[in-house]
Amino acid sequence: MKQLWLIASLASIITVSSCTSNAKKQLESDSSSMETTDTNLVDTTHTPQNSLDWAGSYTGVIPCADCPGIETTVTLNSDETFSYKGVYQESDTKVEDTGKFMWHNNGSVVHLVGKDVNMKLKVGENQLFSLDQEGNPIDGPLKDQYILKKVAQ
């Protein structure tokens, strides 16, 4: 009888410690997944729109399919208007436009909409990154040529 009671007691201790161990592991797992989730949160308080000095003129030579490049100047004004000038190298073609721009993607992308211009640019520190028409970053070997640098004023 004593042996039966001893075996039952040991079985109970093993069961309780096993449950406690599993509960502790589950709690640790939940905590680590919560930490991971917290680090993946997007900071919507500080955006290029409200944190960077984005107003000003930006220039660069953007790749062109039928010419050596397009000498591009974009000016963003603090009243959310813009001016655009694109001069096609080795060509008589020039595009000039003005209009309003809108902020997208929580204040990180400007969308220029004018009579001739419809383009999206991601705003960075003293630079604008050209995006495709869907708003995706330009990828590939020429991606670094799709950056306009801010002109010192």
Side-chain angles (χ1 to χ4, degrees):
M1 183 75 169
K2 284 184 179 182
Q3 286 180 333
L4 186 58
W5 185 81
L6 182 61
I7 291 173
S9 295
L10 284 174
S12 295
I13 291 171
I14 291 172
T15 303
V16 168
S17 67
S18 165
C19 290
T20 304
S21 176
N22 286 340
K24 185 177 178 184
K25 286 179 185 173
Q26 182 64 39
L27 184 59
E28 288 172 357
S29 174
D30 289 348
S31 294
S32 69
S33 68
M34 287 173 66
E35 288 172 12
T36 303
T37 303
D38 289 345
T39 59
N40 292 332
L41 292 177
V42 175
D43 180 6
T44 57
T45 306
H46 299 96
T47 66
Q49 181 180 3
N50 64 26
S51 300
L52 297 178
D53 182 22
W54 51 264
S57 294
Y58 300 80
T59 63
V61 178
I62 303 297
C64 175
D66 56 357
C67 72
I70 306 167
E71 296 173 20
T72 305
T73 302
V74 172
T75 301
L76 300 178
N77 301 307
S78 57
D79 65 353
E80 298 187 355
T81 61
F82 75 91
S83 64
Y84 171 90
K85 181 178 180 182
V87 178
Y88 290 69
Q89 296 176 334
E90 297 180 10
S91 173
D92 293 332
T93 305
K94 182 190 300 187
V95 176
E96 293 185 79
D97 203 355
T98 60
K100 298 280 280 173
F101 67 85
M102 300 169 278
W103 287 96
H104 294 294
N105 295 5
N106 294 321
S108 65
V109 172
V110 290
H111 185 176
L112 313 182
V113 180
K115 186 177 133 210
D116 297 316
V117 173
N118 182 6
M119 66 189 306
K120 296 175 184 173
L121 302 158
K122 183 171 182 162
V123 178
E125 185 76 38
N126 296 318
Q127 52 193 350
L128 300 174
F129 301 89
S130 297
L131 302 174
D132 65 19
Q133 289 302 312
E134 287 79 38
N136 299 312
I138 304 223
D139 200 18
L142 300 178
K143 70 179 181 179
D144 292 337
Q145 295 180 24
Y146 287 91
I147 300 172
L148 302 175
K149 303 285 184 178
K150 192 170 189 181
V151 178
Q153 296 181 11

